[in-house]
Amino acid sequence: MELLLLQYHKQITPPHRLTDYKLFRISKMEEFTYEQIRAKALKQGVKDNKVHIGLWANLNNYLKTRRKKNGKVTTYYISLQKLAY
């Protein structure tokens, strides 16, 4: 009976935010710099300018993010294909 109550209690009690990450194995996101995305786009025949490369990345499921490192803002692209479950 105690085991049944314990299992019932675990189902009702929501897990803590920190334990959620321990329960699920999240694969590392693939991050690409603008130069890497540019090289991929140029191989597929995209024009060599920021607008066309950005549109290509967006249409090919890359999420654009900006991060600041050492006072310099760098653009990264995250592949959304690896994040899909």
Side-chain angles (χ1 to χ4, degrees):
M1 185 71 177
E2 290 179 18
L3 182 61
L4 183 63
L5 288 174
L6 182 63
Q7 289 175 349
Y8 181 72
H9 180 69
K10 284 183 178 180
Q11 290 175 356
I12 293 176
T13 315
H16 193 285
R17 285 185 181 180
L18 294 177
T19 58
D20 285 345
Y21 296 112
K22 292 177 184 175
L23 296 175
F24 301 105
R25 291 183 181 181
I26 300 173
S27 62
K28 185 177 179 184
M29 298 180 291
E30 285 191 76
E31 293 182 349
F32 301 97
T33 61
Y34 173 76
E35 290 77 18
Q36 292 170 328
I37 291 292
R38 180 177 169 264
K40 287 183 176 188
L42 292 177
K43 285 181 184 177
Q44 294 190 4
V46 177
K47 291 184 181 178
D48 190 11
N49 60 44
K50 289 182 182 180
V51 174
H52 283 91
I53 292 171
L55 287 173
W56 177 87
N58 192 8
L59 291 173
N60 287 294
N61 294 327
Y62 289 99
L63 178 67
K64 181 179 179 179
T65 59
R66 292 186 180 138
R67 294 194 186 150
K68 194 173 198 176
K69 288 185 179 179
N70 298 329
K72 184 177 179 183
V73 177
T74 309
T75 302
Y76 291 98
Y77 291 87
I78 299 173
S79 177
L80 295 178
Q81 295 153 347
K82 296 290 182 181
L83 297 179
Y85 290 95

XYZ file of all heavy atoms in Angstrom:
723
model
N 0.823 -1.189 0.000
C 0.000 0.000 0.000
C 0.872 1.260 0.000
O 0.556 2.222 -0.663
C -0.920 -0.048 1.218
C -1.906 1.083 1.253
S -3.118 0.817 -0.023
C -4.191 2.158 0.264
N 1.982 1.224 0.764
C 2.857 2.385 0.809
C 3.503 2.649 -0.549
O 3.675 3.788 -0.947
C 3.943 2.181 1.867
C 3.430 2.220 3.284
C 4.541 1.984 4.283
O 5.716 2.134 3.904
O 4.225 1.641 5.415
N 3.840 1.571 -1.253
C 4.431 1.722 -2.568
C 3.444 2.376 -3.528
O 3.802 3.247 -4.313
C 4.873 0.357 -3.112
C 5.550 0.369 -4.473
C 6.817 1.206 -4.424
C 5.854 -1.039 -4.917
N 2.186 1.976 -3.444
C 1.154 2.561 -4.290
C 0.979 4.045 -3.975
O 0.875 4.868 -4.885
C -0.167 1.814 -4.102
C -1.332 2.269 -4.973
C -0.998 2.047 -6.436
C -2.596 1.533 -4.603
N 0.981 4.400 -2.693
C 0.862 5.807 -2.317
C 2.077 6.606 -2.781
O 1.948 7.749 -3.220
C 0.705 5.937 -0.801
C -0.647 5.497 -0.230
C -0.598 5.544 1.288
C -1.765 6.372 -0.744
N 3.262 6.011 -2.714
C 4.468 6.691 -3.141
C 4.435 6.954 -4.651
O 4.767 8.044 -5.105
C 5.695 5.857 -2.775
C 7.052 6.466 -3.111
C 7.255 7.761 -2.332
C 8.152 5.484 -2.796
N 3.997 5.961 -5.427
C 3.892 6.151 -6.866
C 2.842 7.211 -7.196
O 3.026 8.033 -8.079
C 3.549 4.834 -7.557
C 4.685 3.851 -7.546
C 4.283 2.510 -8.126
O 3.110 2.247 -8.350
N 5.277 1.659 -8.351
N 1.727 7.191 -6.471
C 0.675 8.184 -6.692
C 1.181 9.581 -6.357
O 0.935 10.536 -7.075
C -0.553 7.826 -5.850
C -1.705 8.778 -6.030
C -2.447 8.772 -7.207
C -2.052 9.685 -5.036
C -3.508 9.640 -7.382
C -3.098 10.553 -5.200
C -3.827 10.526 -6.377
O -4.873 11.395 -6.551
N 1.943 9.688 -5.277
C 2.502 10.973 -4.866
C 3.486 11.503 -5.911
O 3.524 12.689 -6.203
C 3.185 10.831 -3.507
C 3.794 12.101 -3.002
N 3.034 13.172 -2.611
C 5.081 12.475 -2.865
C 3.837 14.161 -2.252
N 5.093 13.749 -2.384
N 4.296 10.622 -6.504
C 5.248 11.043 -7.528
C 4.542 11.557 -8.773
O 5.020 12.454 -9.443
C 6.181 9.887 -7.907
C 7.242 9.611 -6.886
C 8.167 8.521 -7.367
C 9.263 8.257 -6.368
N 10.167 7.193 -6.815
N 3.385 10.984 -9.079
C 2.652 11.422 -10.256
C 2.030 12.796 -10.045
O 1.942 13.595 -10.960
C 1.555 10.420 -10.612
C 2.104 9.117 -11.136
C 1.006 8.101 -11.367
O -0.148 8.349 -11.060
N 1.380 6.954 -11.889
N 1.603 13.082 -8.843
C 0.942 14.360 -8.567
C 1.951 15.483 -8.405
O 1.764 16.585 -8.897
C 0.062 14.254 -7.296
C -1.112 13.314 -7.571
C -0.440 15.615 -6.874
C -1.979 13.069 -6.381
N 3.051 15.223 -7.732
C 4.037 16.250 -7.446
C 4.833 16.567 -8.703
O 5.467 15.675 -9.265
C 5.009 15.790 -6.348
O 4.259 15.199 -5.298
C 5.801 16.955 -5.814
N 4.779 17.812 -9.173
C 5.569 18.145 -10.363
C 7.054 18.146 -10.029
O 7.448 18.569 -8.947
C 5.099 19.555 -10.733
C 4.544 20.109 -9.469
C 4.026 18.943 -8.675
N 7.868 17.661 -10.924
C 9.312 17.654 -10.653
C 9.882 19.069 -10.635
O 9.340 19.973 -11.251
C 9.892 16.855 -11.812
C 8.864 16.890 -12.863
C 7.536 17.092 -12.201
N 10.944 19.239 -9.918
C 11.611 20.533 -9.818
C 12.259 20.862 -11.155
O 12.626 19.984 -11.916
C 12.680 20.453 -8.718
C 13.218 21.784 -8.320
N 14.092 22.479 -9.099
C 12.986 22.559 -7.238
C 14.391 23.622 -8.523
N 13.732 23.687 -7.384
N 12.407 22.120 -11.447
C 12.977 22.540 -12.725
C 14.364 21.959 -12.967
O 14.699 21.570 -14.069
C 13.077 24.058 -12.792
C 11.779 24.734 -13.013
C 11.993 26.205 -13.180
N 10.728 26.871 -13.368
C 10.592 28.160 -13.544
N 11.655 28.924 -13.556
N 9.410 28.703 -13.711
N 15.168 21.884 -11.935
C 16.526 21.377 -12.115
C 16.540 19.885 -12.386
O 17.390 19.393 -13.107
C 17.368 21.697 -10.879
C 17.622 23.181 -10.626
C 18.400 23.362 -9.333
C 18.369 23.802 -11.779
N 15.575 19.149 -11.828
C 15.551 17.713 -12.072
C 14.998 17.395 -13.451
O 15.239 16.311 -13.972
C 14.708 16.989 -11.004
O 13.385 17.516 -11.019
C 15.320 17.163 -9.638
N 14.247 18.315 -14.060
C 13.738 18.077 -15.410
C 14.879 17.849 -16.389
O 14.797 16.978 -17.246
C 12.908 19.270 -15.904
C 11.539 19.321 -15.243
O 11.137 18.304 -14.647
O 10.884 20.371 -15.335
N 15.937 18.633 -16.261
C 17.055 18.514 -17.179
C 17.826 17.220 -16.963
O 18.431 16.700 -17.875
C 17.995 19.711 -17.036
C 17.322 20.994 -17.430
C 17.040 21.964 -16.486
C 16.952 21.224 -18.740
C 16.409 23.139 -16.848
C 16.320 22.387 -19.114
C 16.057 23.348 -18.163
O 15.422 24.503 -18.523
N 17.806 16.700 -15.752
C 18.491 15.445 -15.481
C 17.720 14.264 -16.054
O 18.304 13.258 -16.412
C 18.669 15.262 -13.971
C 19.626 16.258 -13.360
C 19.704 16.069 -11.868
C 20.582 17.136 -11.231
N 20.588 17.042 -9.775
N 16.386 14.387 -16.137
C 15.579 13.284 -16.635
C 15.681 13.118 -18.143
O 15.590 12.022 -18.658
C 14.105 13.502 -16.243
C 13.809 13.490 -14.740
C 12.347 13.829 -14.498
C 14.129 12.133 -14.139
N 15.844 14.217 -18.844
C 15.881 14.152 -20.300
C 17.302 14.394 -20.788
O 17.963 15.327 -20.353
C 14.951 15.209 -20.905
C 13.539 15.040 -20.464
C 12.984 15.898 -19.528
C 12.759 14.021 -20.972
C 11.680 15.742 -19.116
C 11.460 13.857 -20.568
C 10.917 14.720 -19.629
N 17.719 13.582 -21.707
C 19.043 13.771 -22.301
C 18.877 14.637 -23.534
O 18.325 14.199 -24.540
C 19.656 12.436 -22.678
C 20.012 11.612 -21.484
C 20.678 10.343 -21.922
N 21.004 9.547 -20.738
C 21.607 8.401 -20.796
N 21.955 7.888 -21.953
N 21.865 7.737 -19.696
N 19.335 15.838 -23.429
C 19.226 16.772 -24.536
C 20.548 16.763 -25.286
O 21.603 17.007 -24.704
C 18.897 18.192 -24.033
C 17.575 18.173 -23.274
C 18.858 19.168 -25.181
C 17.240 19.482 -22.608
N 20.476 16.467 -26.579
C 21.697 16.464 -27.368
C 22.183 17.896 -27.537
O 21.404 18.841 -27.523
C 21.451 15.829 -28.733
O 20.504 16.588 -29.439
N 23.467 18.033 -27.696
C 24.039 19.365 -27.834
C 23.570 20.000 -29.138
O 23.564 19.364 -30.186
C 25.560 19.290 -27.819
C 26.185 20.650 -27.835
C 27.675 20.584 -27.739
C 28.205 22.002 -27.796
N 29.637 22.031 -27.799
N 23.170 21.237 -29.040
C 22.702 21.954 -30.214
C 23.886 22.249 -31.122
O 24.971 22.579 -30.648
C 22.041 23.269 -29.798
C 20.827 23.094 -28.940
S 20.093 24.657 -28.482
C 21.327 25.313 -27.389
N 23.647 22.142 -32.400
C 24.688 22.480 -33.353
C 24.642 23.971 -33.603
O 23.611 24.508 -33.984
C 24.486 21.726 -34.657
C 24.868 20.272 -34.582
C 24.898 19.657 -35.955
O 25.863 19.923 -36.692
O 23.959 18.937 -36.272
N 25.755 24.638 -33.364
C 25.842 26.074 -33.589
C 26.831 26.337 -34.714
O 27.884 25.708 -34.792
C 26.304 26.790 -32.329
C 25.303 26.731 -31.202
C 25.777 27.504 -29.989
O 26.957 27.898 -29.956
O 24.976 27.689 -29.077
N 26.460 27.262 -35.577
C 27.303 27.636 -36.697
C 27.508 29.140 -36.678
O 26.602 29.893 -36.339
C 26.654 27.228 -38.025
C 26.375 25.756 -38.134
C 25.123 25.246 -37.857
C 27.377 24.884 -38.503
C 24.870 23.899 -37.958
C 27.129 23.520 -38.612
C 25.869 23.031 -38.337
N 28.675 29.577 -37.071
C 28.929 31.004 -37.214
C 28.406 31.459 -38.569
O 28.038 30.639 -39.421
C 30.433 31.310 -37.115
O 31.095 30.631 -38.170
C 30.995 30.896 -35.763
N 28.381 32.757 -38.775
C 27.921 33.296 -40.054
C 28.796 32.783 -41.199
O 28.294 32.448 -42.274
C 27.931 34.822 -40.028
C 27.619 35.430 -41.365
C 26.322 35.469 -41.850
C 28.637 35.941 -42.176
C 26.042 36.001 -43.099
C 28.369 36.473 -43.412
C 27.060 36.506 -43.872
O 26.788 37.027 -45.098
N 30.089 32.690 -40.969
C 31.002 32.239 -42.011
C 30.719 30.789 -42.418
O 30.800 30.439 -43.598
C 32.466 32.387 -41.569
C 32.946 33.821 -41.464
C 32.458 34.539 -40.202
O 32.044 33.842 -39.243
O 32.477 35.774 -40.199
N 30.381 29.941 -41.441
C 30.062 28.550 -41.755
C 28.753 28.448 -42.539
O 28.651 27.674 -43.499
C 29.968 27.729 -40.470
C 31.291 27.555 -39.764
C 31.137 26.958 -38.388
O 30.134 27.183 -37.722
N 32.130 26.186 -37.969
N 27.758 29.227 -42.135
C 26.471 29.241 -42.847
C 26.667 29.798 -44.252
O 26.085 29.310 -45.222
C 25.428 30.063 -42.062
C 25.047 29.329 -40.779
C 24.198 30.364 -42.893
C 24.281 28.048 -40.991
N 27.511 30.811 -44.369
C 27.787 31.423 -45.680
C 28.395 30.391 -46.628
O 28.018 30.293 -47.792
C 28.722 32.606 -45.500
C 29.078 33.315 -46.775
C 29.964 34.532 -46.471
N 30.508 35.050 -47.710
C 31.711 34.751 -48.195
N 32.512 33.956 -47.513
N 32.115 35.265 -49.325
N 29.328 29.598 -46.109
C 29.963 28.569 -46.945
C 28.940 27.536 -47.408
O 28.946 27.111 -48.569
C 31.088 27.892 -46.165
N 28.025 27.132 -46.516
C 26.989 26.170 -46.892
C 26.055 26.755 -47.942
O 25.655 26.070 -48.885
C 26.166 25.766 -45.672
C 26.882 24.867 -44.712
C 25.958 24.465 -43.590
C 26.632 23.485 -42.658
N 25.715 22.926 -41.673
N 25.689 28.022 -47.771
C 24.767 28.662 -48.712
C 25.410 28.847 -50.084
O 24.764 28.641 -51.113
C 24.304 30.005 -48.151
N 26.671 29.227 -50.106
C 27.349 29.427 -51.386
C 27.489 28.131 -52.166
O 27.456 28.131 -53.401
C 28.720 30.073 -51.159
C 28.698 31.517 -50.651
C 30.118 32.002 -50.400
C 27.973 32.419 -51.618
N 27.632 27.002 -51.460
C 27.698 25.706 -52.144
C 26.394 25.393 -52.870
O 26.397 24.672 -53.860
C 27.998 24.591 -51.142
C 29.425 24.558 -50.678
C 29.640 23.407 -49.708
C 31.044 23.422 -49.150
N 31.231 22.352 -48.143
N 25.288 25.940 -52.366
C 23.984 25.677 -52.980
C 23.576 26.763 -53.967
O 22.442 26.804 -54.415
C 22.922 25.504 -51.903
C 23.151 24.262 -51.071
C 21.983 23.949 -50.165
O 20.966 24.616 -50.200
N 22.143 22.928 -49.356
N 24.488 27.678 -54.283
C 24.217 28.663 -55.328
C 23.497 29.914 -54.882
O 22.899 30.611 -55.699
N 23.561 30.251 -53.611
C 22.927 31.462 -53.095
C 23.844 32.650 -53.355
O 25.075 32.516 -53.308
C 22.644 31.309 -51.578
C 22.046 32.559 -50.992
C 21.730 30.118 -51.339
N 23.260 33.815 -53.656
C 24.060 35.015 -53.889
C 24.828 35.387 -52.630
O 24.365 35.176 -51.515
C 23.164 36.175 -54.303
C 22.555 36.006 -55.662
C 21.763 37.236 -56.033
C 21.118 37.063 -57.396
N 20.299 38.231 -57.761
N 25.998 35.969 -52.833
C 26.905 36.264 -51.718
C 26.614 37.640 -51.128
O 27.365 38.594 -51.322
C 28.355 36.174 -52.195
C 29.333 36.224 -51.043
O 28.898 36.123 -49.885
O 30.535 36.363 -51.306
N 25.488 37.747 -50.408
C 25.224 38.948 -49.613
C 24.457 38.536 -48.359
O 23.902 37.439 -48.289
C 24.487 40.029 -50.410
C 23.145 39.583 -50.922
O 22.383 38.956 -50.205
N 22.863 39.904 -52.170
N 24.455 39.409 -47.370
C 23.889 39.069 -46.070
C 22.401 38.748 -46.134
O 21.918 37.871 -45.428
C 24.116 40.207 -45.078
C 25.545 40.369 -44.656
C 25.678 41.475 -43.637
C 27.118 41.687 -43.242
N 27.262 42.762 -42.257
N 21.679 39.459 -46.981
C 20.229 39.265 -47.058
C 19.902 37.878 -47.600
O 19.097 37.140 -47.011
C 19.575 40.364 -47.925
C 18.103 40.084 -48.126
C 19.778 41.723 -47.291
N 20.506 37.499 -48.711
C 20.213 36.201 -49.309
C 20.686 35.048 -48.422
O 20.006 34.026 -48.310
C 20.853 36.097 -50.696
C 20.101 36.844 -51.740
N 20.372 38.156 -52.039
C 19.072 36.475 -52.535
C 19.546 38.557 -52.988
N 18.744 37.552 -53.308
N 21.829 35.223 -47.792
C 22.335 34.167 -46.910
C 21.441 34.030 -45.677
O 21.124 32.925 -45.236
C 23.801 34.440 -46.527
C 24.670 34.285 -47.778
C 24.268 33.505 -45.425
C 26.091 34.730 -47.609
N 20.985 35.142 -45.129
C 20.071 35.107 -43.988
C 18.740 34.469 -44.337
O 18.183 33.683 -43.557
N 18.209 34.782 -45.508
C 16.952 34.166 -45.943
C 17.136 32.671 -46.177
O 16.275 31.860 -45.821
C 16.449 34.832 -47.222
C 15.866 36.230 -47.047
C 15.564 36.848 -48.401
C 14.618 36.181 -46.193
N 18.263 32.287 -46.767
C 18.541 30.871 -46.982
C 18.595 30.129 -45.650
O 18.036 29.039 -45.511
C 19.862 30.710 -47.736
C 20.248 29.281 -47.923
C 19.887 28.455 -48.935
C 21.050 28.490 -47.036
N 20.427 27.205 -48.747
C 21.140 27.203 -47.590
C 21.706 28.755 -45.837
C 21.853 26.181 -46.972
C 22.419 27.740 -45.230
C 22.490 26.468 -45.790
N 19.271 30.730 -44.673
C 19.393 30.089 -43.355
C 18.023 29.940 -42.702
O 17.704 28.901 -42.123
C 20.326 30.898 -42.463
N 17.197 30.968 -42.810
C 15.868 30.919 -42.218
C 15.011 29.851 -42.890
O 14.302 29.098 -42.216
C 15.201 32.289 -42.337
C 13.956 32.391 -41.495
O 13.668 31.511 -40.710
N 13.230 33.467 -41.668
N 15.072 29.750 -44.195
C 14.280 28.760 -44.918
C 14.776 27.332 -44.700
O 14.031 26.381 -44.899
C 14.275 29.081 -46.415
C 13.512 30.348 -46.800
C 13.712 30.656 -48.274
C 12.033 30.203 -46.477
N 16.034 27.189 -44.300
C 16.604 25.867 -44.040
C 16.655 25.538 -42.549
O 17.495 24.750 -42.103
C 17.994 25.752 -44.666
C 17.896 25.636 -46.158
O 17.384 24.653 -46.681
N 18.343 26.657 -46.862
N 15.762 26.138 -41.783
C 15.569 25.838 -40.352
C 16.784 26.133 -39.477
O 17.188 25.331 -38.642
C 15.145 24.376 -40.158
C 13.786 24.102 -40.742
O 12.915 24.971 -40.734
N 13.594 22.919 -41.269
N 17.364 27.298 -39.671
C 18.404 27.779 -38.773
C 17.863 28.984 -38.024
O 17.250 29.867 -38.619
C 19.665 28.196 -39.549
C 20.427 27.033 -40.120
C 20.279 26.665 -41.449
C 21.307 26.300 -39.331
C 20.975 25.603 -41.981
C 22.007 25.233 -39.860
C 21.833 24.887 -41.178
O 22.525 23.833 -41.705
N 18.075 29.003 -36.718
C 17.623 30.103 -35.872
C 18.787 31.046 -35.628
O 19.857 30.622 -35.170
C 17.106 29.561 -34.542
C 16.639 30.572 -33.520
C 15.378 31.264 -34.018
C 16.375 29.889 -32.200
N 18.580 32.327 -35.915
C 19.643 33.320 -35.766
C 19.670 33.835 -34.327
O 18.649 34.246 -33.788
C 19.393 34.474 -36.727
C 20.433 35.551 -36.689
C 20.097 36.628 -37.698
C 21.100 37.744 -37.673
N 20.784 38.776 -38.660
N 20.831 33.793 -33.709
C 21.004 34.331 -32.365
C 22.265 35.186 -32.341
O 23.178 34.974 -33.127
C 21.151 33.218 -31.302
O 22.267 32.411 -31.629
C 19.907 32.370 -31.229
N 22.276 36.120 -31.428
C 23.465 36.973 -31.264
C 23.952 36.854 -29.841
O 23.171 36.877 -28.896
C 23.111 38.421 -31.581
C 22.800 38.626 -33.024
C 22.591 40.092 -33.322
N 22.285 40.243 -34.731
C 21.364 41.052 -35.199
N 20.662 41.793 -34.392
N 21.157 41.135 -36.487
N 25.259 36.734 -29.693
C 25.871 36.630 -28.368
C 27.016 37.611 -28.264
O 27.725 37.861 -29.232
C 26.390 35.225 -28.129
C 25.286 34.224 -28.064
C 25.782 32.948 -27.495
N 24.725 31.963 -27.584
C 24.932 30.687 -27.726
N 26.157 30.228 -27.783
N 23.935 29.852 -27.800
N 27.178 38.110 -27.061
C 28.246 39.065 -26.813
C 29.381 38.368 -26.081
O 29.186 37.806 -25.005
C 27.705 40.221 -25.975
C 28.593 41.415 -25.916
C 27.887 42.554 -25.202
C 28.546 43.852 -25.512
N 27.843 44.973 -24.910
N 30.563 38.389 -26.695
C 31.754 37.809 -26.071
C 32.863 38.841 -26.133
O 33.187 39.342 -27.206
C 32.196 36.549 -26.812
C 31.303 35.362 -26.610
C 31.888 34.136 -27.267
C 31.008 32.941 -27.041
N 31.552 31.740 -27.699
N 33.427 39.144 -24.986
C 34.530 40.109 -24.879
C 34.178 41.447 -25.522
O 34.993 42.066 -26.194
C 35.808 39.548 -25.508
C 36.280 38.306 -24.795
O 36.069 38.154 -23.595
N 36.914 37.404 -25.518
N 32.960 41.881 -25.341
C 32.530 43.178 -25.864
C 32.201 43.190 -27.338
O 31.876 44.229 -27.899
N 32.270 42.039 -28.003
C 31.979 41.964 -29.431
C 30.772 41.064 -29.652
O 30.707 39.956 -29.123
C 33.188 41.402 -30.180
C 33.021 41.388 -31.672
C 34.277 40.879 -32.360
C 34.069 40.852 -33.854
N 35.225 40.301 -34.552
N 29.813 41.545 -30.438
C 28.608 40.767 -30.724
C 28.869 39.866 -31.929
O 29.316 40.328 -32.979
C 27.397 41.691 -30.997
C 26.171 40.880 -31.351
C 27.122 42.577 -29.796
N 28.615 38.579 -31.743
C 28.824 37.591 -32.795
C 27.497 36.922 -33.122
O 26.709 36.629 -32.239
C 29.834 36.521 -32.353
O 31.013 37.176 -31.856
C 30.220 35.614 -33.496
N 27.251 36.684 -34.405
C 26.023 36.037 -34.844
C 26.251 34.537 -34.958
O 27.225 34.095 -35.553
C 25.586 36.590 -36.215
O 25.415 37.996 -36.099
C 24.285 35.960 -36.663
N 25.341 33.766 -34.350
C 25.364 32.320 -34.434
C 24.045 31.832 -35.006
O 23.013 32.471 -34.852
C 25.564 31.687 -33.046
C 26.928 31.917 -32.471
C 27.158 32.941 -31.557
C 27.991 31.102 -32.823
C 28.416 33.147 -31.032
C 29.248 31.308 -32.298
C 29.456 32.333 -31.401
O 30.700 32.544 -30.884
N 24.088 30.704 -35.657
C 22.894 30.068 -36.182
C 22.770 28.694 -35.541
O 23.724 27.924 -35.525
C 22.967 29.935 -37.704
C 22.869 31.259 -38.415
C 23.999 32.028 -38.656
C 21.650 31.756 -38.832
C 23.920 33.249 -39.298
C 21.556 32.977 -39.478
C 22.698 33.712 -39.706
O 22.601 34.923 -40.335
N 21.597 28.388 -35.010
C 21.332 27.109 -34.354
C 20.489 26.262 -35.285
O 19.465 26.728 -35.800
C 20.609 27.312 -33.012
C 21.479 28.134 -32.077
C 20.252 25.977 -32.389
C 20.800 28.531 -30.796
N 20.886 25.029 -35.491
C 20.138 24.119 -36.345
C 18.921 23.606 -35.587
O 19.050 22.933 -34.568
C 21.020 22.950 -36.772
O 20.278 22.041 -37.528
N 17.726 23.913 -36.074
C 16.506 23.484 -35.417
C 16.161 22.037 -35.733
O 15.335 21.448 -35.058
C 15.339 24.384 -35.828
C 15.453 25.840 -35.382
C 14.271 26.643 -35.879
C 15.552 25.944 -33.876
N 16.786 21.450 -36.710
C 16.498 20.076 -37.074
C 16.940 19.121 -35.959
O 16.318 18.109 -35.727
C 17.199 19.711 -38.383
C 16.657 20.509 -39.545
C 17.675 20.689 -40.643
O 18.850 20.428 -40.451
N 17.243 21.174 -41.782
N 17.999 19.456 -35.262
C 18.505 18.603 -34.195
C 17.656 18.747 -32.920
O 17.693 17.884 -32.065
C 19.954 18.946 -33.847
C 20.919 18.694 -34.980
C 21.079 17.228 -35.205
C 22.087 16.981 -36.312
N 22.279 15.580 -36.593
N 16.892 19.841 -32.795
C 16.100 20.068 -31.605
C 14.739 19.401 -31.685
O 14.054 19.269 -30.691
C 15.913 21.577 -31.371
C 17.178 22.368 -31.120
C 16.837 23.833 -30.941
C 17.907 21.850 -29.909
N 14.308 18.997 -32.865
C 12.997 18.374 -33.021
C 13.005 17.003 -32.365
O 13.958 16.250 -32.441
C 12.650 18.259 -34.498
N 11.902 16.685 -31.708
C 11.802 15.391 -31.025
C 11.172 14.368 -31.920
O 10.318 14.582 -32.658
C 10.974 15.522 -29.744
C 11.710 16.302 -28.695
C 11.518 17.653 -28.540
C 12.607 15.658 -27.864
C 12.206 18.360 -27.578
C 13.292 16.360 -26.905
C 13.087 17.696 -26.762
O 13.765 18.396 -25.811
